[in-house]
Amino acid sequence: MEPKATKALEEIVEHVAANPSGNSVDFNRALIALFYIHKDDAFVDRMAREFLQGKHRGPGVDRHILVTIAVFRNTPEFDAAVMAFNPMSYEYALNEVQGSSVEKWGAQLAHVPVSIVPPLPPAKP
């Protein structure tokens, strides 16, 4: 069974990807958390693969982070898909991931949700 936080982050990414009014900051933070903190490779790779196949093109989808993750994976499948998508994006992402850590990518990990918790009840006077 998936942890609730991982599932909630997946739902945020899917909601933004499917919604024309989605928020790219929410998308970016949730996807980076799934990739870097939760190690949800199957979900993240699926989203990157689907994006490169022409899905998830809404305004809230962070194209840069999806291409960067695909290039970071360094597989022939992802490399070919990114090159077909945009050769300049491939070169840019390749330069970004070589010799760089994930922490330095577009998202500031300090603002990435590690877990999802319900709002705290109001403080008692």
Side-chain angles (χ1 to χ4, degrees), residues 90-113:
Y90 176 82
E91 291 297 325
Y92 184 81
L94 186 61
N95 287 334
E96 189 170 25
V97 300
Q98 287 180 337
S100 178
S101 62
V102 176
E103 294 91 342
K104 299 202 186 226
W105 292 0
Q108 295 177 353
L109 287 176
H111 300 291
V112 169

Side-chain angles (χ1 to χ4, degrees), residues 12-59:
I12 290 169
V13 170
E14 288 178 335
H15 173 77
V16 172
N19 221 323
S21 63
N23 184 323
S24 63
V25 173
D26 292 342
F27 181 90
N28 189 298
R29 289 176 179 170
L31 191 68
I32 288 290
L34 289 167
F35 174 73
Y36 182 71
I37 298 169
H38 294 255
K39 309 291 188 217
D40 191 357
D41 293 340
F43 179 84
V44 172
D45 288 356
R46 178 178 61 82
M47 291 301 292
R49 195 172 293 108
E50 289 176 357
F51 169 75
L52 293 168
Q53 294 170 348
K55 300 177 187 172
H56 313 307
R57 298 295 170 100

